[in-house]
Amino acid sequence: MTLWPTLAVNGIAFGMLLFLLGSGLSLIFGVLRIVNLAHGSYYLLGAYVGVTIVRATGSFSLAVLGAAGTTLACGVLMQRLFLRRLAGRVLPQVLLTMGFLLLLADITLWIWGGDPQILPTPAALQGAVVVGPVVLPTYRGFVMATSGVLALLLWLGLDRTRLGAQVRAAVDDPETAQAMGIDVPLLGTAMFGVGAALAGIGGILGSPFLGVYPGADLDVLTLAFAVVIIGGLGSLPGTLAGSLLVGLADNFGKVLVPELSYITLFAPMALILAVRPRGLFGRS
Amino acid sequence: MKRILVFLVLSLFVFTLPLHSGALPLLKVGFVAPLTGVFAPTGRDLLDGYTLYLEQTKQRWGGRGVVLIQEDDQLNPGIALTKVRKLAESDRVELLTGIISAAAAYAMRDYIDQQAVPTVISVAGGDDVTQRARGKFTVRTGWGASSQTAHPFGEYAYRDLGYRRVATIADDFAFGHEWIGGFQRTFEDLGGRVVRKLWAPLGTADFTPFLVQIPRDVDAVVAAVVGPIALRFVRQYADLGLKARTPMIGPGHMTDEINLPQMGDEVVGMITVLHYSAVLDNAANRKFVEAYAKRFNRVPSAYSEAGYTAALWIDRALQRTGGLVSNKEAFMKAMAGLVIADSPRGPVRLDAAGNAVHNIYVRRVDRVGGALQNAVIRTFPTVSQFWTFDPDAYLKQPVYSRDVPPCRFCER
């Protein structure tokens, strides 16, 4: 029976894409304590920019760079010009990101129109890999690997470098970190940009099998929240665990209990909220 | 010189007077459809169909000036009802049209009956809109009932494609239920077997968990996943290597002219069914496609055609009533009695329940000159929502749903 191993591998592959979408949200919350409702909009923006670059140049790697660059710039500007003015004021910040969600939805609609779009799967990555009992579309394998590498880089960067230590210090105690000579506001802006870029990369990597359309921002935002709430906002290992859990629960749930297909994505989140509201790796 | 001018102006006034005094006031037509959100492209195509016809007729229908008042229902039945109230009570429209969502059509039915506003539904496919829950002042000129294309297609799959065992996968909402139900009914009546029925929640991101449940030994997969989600659905099907193994067939919504420009090899050869294709070969359609492309720089979809034909329908009915809608019964009668021989989709008339009777076309996705199109490979002429069944007996059965007809041959 090839069903179960295939589901397991696909669950992990889908989970790794979810990690790209969730990790930025988590990172931004960890450093700046901002719940960014415009996070799905970076997926939308990254996907549209990427699709346009692929159509113009035919190069997928250029599209990934373009998507990352655009969303990075968008995140940095958003934080620098607007959110920074509201530092520490939670409700106005959330409302402002809500405003950006609507604004970016309208801007993308204005530029790219309302027609749904989907990128052709890059030629080198078409078809499926069959290993023993497992069938995995080649492209999903590629996304899984790319997200895995990015996750590793993120972890190494935050855990093993001097910059990472500064970020962690800024998360734990911004005042003391500032007093020690760490430029906390600059770090915050940088991390906001990186978080946005991760979702932008998720957008371009996701567009050959999820596509992009008006409303995708909200779909992605919901997924990102499911992942982050399970893992615990602000925790990178938590986001990884949450992503894999949601990916696997979605895959197995839809086969084992098809009657509950609607909630397989969100059931783990509801469960965690009930028993451990801080999330698996969250700190109080 | 001055005197001459005054004379000229006065005479101009006198000459134009008779035109104004006897003419009917502007006819206000309310239009409701999703113009924002995920389904905005369908609303846009629909509206463009009306716009083209309005422009071609210089905004005069049945000798009367016409103005279309647009409202966006965001595909939300509650908003749709609010917008219809606004159109009826504040704009005082004499006619309503548009309406893409079946849920919206059901939601506004009672209000429309109470207000007695003749309503020309141009899309909303829910079977019961013109069956068990029909409104008194409602006709559906556009798509017909959801299962209307599925009935002949079930027979086509059995007889022409030679399929005997199929699995189905569809959006888990009324359209998916009704379309799959209609297919299963006629397919199994002939002796075919549906051995697996899968329902995917609307907006499903990853279809893989469903696709891996399709038995290997079926002759085909019958899929009804529509709207923008169809793009990722067919892509994920092909990516899993399933396209090479098992053919997929379905309603023409999947490869409509909105989705088609975004699709590629994953749909080439796919056989679908609908009452329209942009490459339909008749004089009216060639003219329509050419004018539409010139005006909007796009290939029209069945939504565009539905808007155009609904406008044509209202115009012809107004010609019969001398531009008057005030006698509602007379206007509804005029609408019901029309036979439109020259609509882009082919000949259309209404059945006794006010639903379009028209040709149903089996189409195959072909690549012609680099672009994909829905080549028509078979025509079922003048198909009604009741197919070959007796309408009274048909209406006594429950409407198609998840478990109607039951899956007698399902294997697990």
Side-chain angles (χ1 to χ4, degrees), chain A residues 3 6-7 10 14 55 114-121 127-128 135 137 140 208-210 213-215 250-251 254-255 258 261-262, chain B residues 37-38 41 44 172 199-202 204-206 208-210 212-213 228-229 231-232 235-236 239-241 258-259 262 298 402 412:
Chain A
L3 181 63
T6 299
L7 281 176
N10 184 66
F14 191 62
R55 299 248 154 86
D115 287 326
Q117 311 205 20
I118 193 164
L119 263 187
T121 311
V135 185
R140 295 220 185 171
F209 67 99
L210 292 182
Y213 47 90
D250 186 43
N251 271 266
K254 280 181 172 141
V255 177
S261 293
Y262 281 88
Chain B
V38 182
R44 173 204 62 199
D172 193 6
W199 304 108
L202 271 184
T204 293
D206 185 7
T208 312
F210 295 107
V212 294
Q213 296 182 64
I229 303 300
L231 290 180
R232 70 163 77 131
R235 175 67 57 80
Q236 293 175 6
D239 277 352
L240 270 170
I258 296 172
N259 281 343
Q262 291 291 324
R298 279 199 318 274
R402 261 181 98 121
R412 273 217 75 143

Side-chain angles (χ1 to χ4, degrees), chain B residues 75-405:
Chain B
L75 210 77
N76 175 327
I79 298 179
L81 183 56
T82 309
K83 294 296 171 76
V84 164
R85 280 177 190 277
K86 179 244 171 202
L87 286 167
E89 290 168 35
S90 145
D91 295 321
R92 307 226 157 255
V93 299
E94 290 190 66
L95 289 172
L96 279 169
T97 191
I99 309 162
I100 284 182
S101 149
Y106 291 129
M108 62 181 70
R109 186 202 64 175
D110 287 350
Y111 180 76
I112 286 171
D113 275 0
Q114 177 199 326
Q115 294 282 318
V117 186
T119 300
V120 182
I121 294 177
S122 41
V123 178
D127 278 2
D128 274 351
V129 170
T130 55
Q131 291 177 12
R132 296 161 197 86
R134 194 195 158 199
K136 247 177 76 186
F137 291 94
T138 309
V139 294
R140 175 164 56 195
T141 59
W143 290 60
S146 300
S147 56
Q148 197 166 341
T149 57
H151 288 142
F153 202 51
E155 298 197 353
Y156 182 82
Y158 186 91
R159 291 210 176 102
D160 296 72
L161 298 172
Y163 298 153
R164 295 294 179 267
R165 286 164 52 80
V166 300
T168 70
I169 174 166
D171 287 323
D172 193 6
F173 83 130
F175 175 78
H177 301 158
E178 292 175 0
W179 198 86
I180 293 292
F183 179 92
Q184 188 187 351
R185 167 108 192 248
T186 55
F187 184 68
E188 291 194 340
D189 276 356
L190 289 176
R193 290 180 169 205
V194 173
V195 297
R196 195 62 172 269
K197 285 167 93 171
L198 298 163
W199 304 108
L202 271 184
T204 293
D206 185 7
F207 286 93
T208 312
F210 295 107
L211 296 176
V212 294
Q213 296 182 64
I214 294 168
R216 282 186 83 89
D217 61 347
V218 292
D219 300 327
V221 173
V222 183
V225 175
V226 302
I229 303 300
L231 290 180
R232 70 163 77 131
F233 173 73
V234 295
R235 175 67 57 80
Q236 293 175 6
Y237 187 82
D239 277 352
L240 270 170
L242 291 171
K243 185 177 187 258
R245 195 178 81 193
T246 314
M248 181 160 65
I249 60 174
H253 309 55
M254 297 184 70
T255 62
D256 65 20
E257 283 76 6
I258 296 172
N259 281 343
L260 216 46
Q262 291 291 324
M263 293 173 151
D265 291 339
E266 70 267 25
V267 291
V268 170
M270 184 174 170
I271 291 175
T272 63
V273 67
L274 201 64
H275 58 273
Y276 181 70
S277 159
V279 294
L280 200 56
D281 193 23
N282 68 53
N285 188 48
R286 280 192 296 270
K287 244 173 70 190
F288 168 67
V289 173
E290 196 193 326
Y292 190 91
K294 204 171 150 200
R295 174 68 175 78
F296 301 109
N297 209 14
R298 279 199 318 274
V299 177
S301 67
Y303 297 93
S304 322
E305 197 276 345
Y308 189 84
T309 297
L312 177 77
W313 210 291
I314 298 171
D315 181 16
R316 298 270 165 92
L318 286 168
Q319 286 172 18
R320 285 190 170 191
T321 62
L324 288 172
V325 189
S326 42
N327 184 340
K328 310 265 166 76
E329 278 71 25
F331 182 76
M332 292 307 289
K333 228 172 132 185
M335 298 263 292
L338 284 172
V339 178
I340 309 260
D342 54 345
S343 96
R345 84 180 81 135
V348 200
R349 60 181 174 81
L350 297 180
D351 64 15
N355 183 59
V357 177
H358 48 209
N359 296 347
I360 298 295
Y361 305 102
V362 177
R363 311 104 42 94
R364 185 186 58 229
V365 177
D366 283 354
R367 198 186 287 281
V368 177
L372 299 183
Q373 61 180 41
N374 290 303
V376 176
I377 56 175
R378 171 78 185 272
T379 302
F380 288 91
T382 50
V383 175
S384 105
Q385 60 182 336
F386 302 113
W387 185 224
T388 54
F389 307 113
D390 170 55
D392 293 326
Y394 185 91
L395 289 176
K396 285 201 186 91
Q397 298 160 359
V399 68
Y400 295 127
S401 64
R402 261 181 98 121
D403 306 309
V404 177

Side-chain angles (χ1 to χ4, degrees), chain A residues 30-136:
Chain A
V31 180
L32 293 156
R33 303 279 138 189
I34 290 175
V35 177
N36 185 10
L37 295 182
H39 197 69
S41 313
Y42 306 136
Y43 173 94
L44 201 66
L45 190 64
Y48 276 129
V49 168
V51 168
T52 309
I53 293 178
V54 169
R55 299 248 154 86
T57 66
S59 161
F60 194 74
S61 32
L62 213 60
V64 175
L65 288 177
T70 313
T71 45
L72 180 92
C74 178
V76 165
L77 289 176
M78 227 176 103
Q79 200 274 339
R80 196 82 192 170
L81 299 180
F82 298 95
L83 286 165
R84 220 165 66 141
R85 293 164 196 269
L86 300 170
R89 296 166 62 196
V90 176
L91 202 57
Q93 280 180 343
V94 171
L95 283 177
L96 191 62
T97 61
M98 176 84 198
F100 272 104
L101 165 76
L102 300 173
L103 201 66
L104 287 168
D106 263 359
I107 290 174
T108 48
L109 182 67
W110 181 54
I111 300 179
W112 285 281
D115 287 326
Q117 311 205 20
I118 193 164
L119 263 187
T121 311
L125 300 168
Q126 281 173 1
V129 187
V130 184
V131 185
V134 176
V135 185
L136 178 71

Side-chain angles (χ1 to χ4, degrees), chain A residues 119-203:
Chain A
L119 263 187
T121 311
L125 300 168
Q126 281 173 1
V129 187
V130 184
V131 185
V134 176
V135 185
L136 178 71
T138 317
Y139 183 76
R140 295 220 185 171
F142 163 76
V143 171
M144 184 162 75
T146 312
S147 313
V149 168
L150 282 171
L152 193 69
L153 285 178
L154 262 181
W155 177 74
L156 283 176
L158 286 174
D159 212 64
R160 295 294 154 91
T161 65
R162 189 179 164 78
L163 191 68
Q166 292 183 344
V167 170
R168 278 179 289 130
V171 170
D172 285 341
D173 189 342
E175 279 91 14
T176 314
Q178 183 80 33
M180 301 285 286
I182 297 173
D183 191 343
V184 175
L186 183 70
L187 272 185
T189 307
M191 287 302 113
F192 202 102
V194 171
L198 283 170
I201 294 173

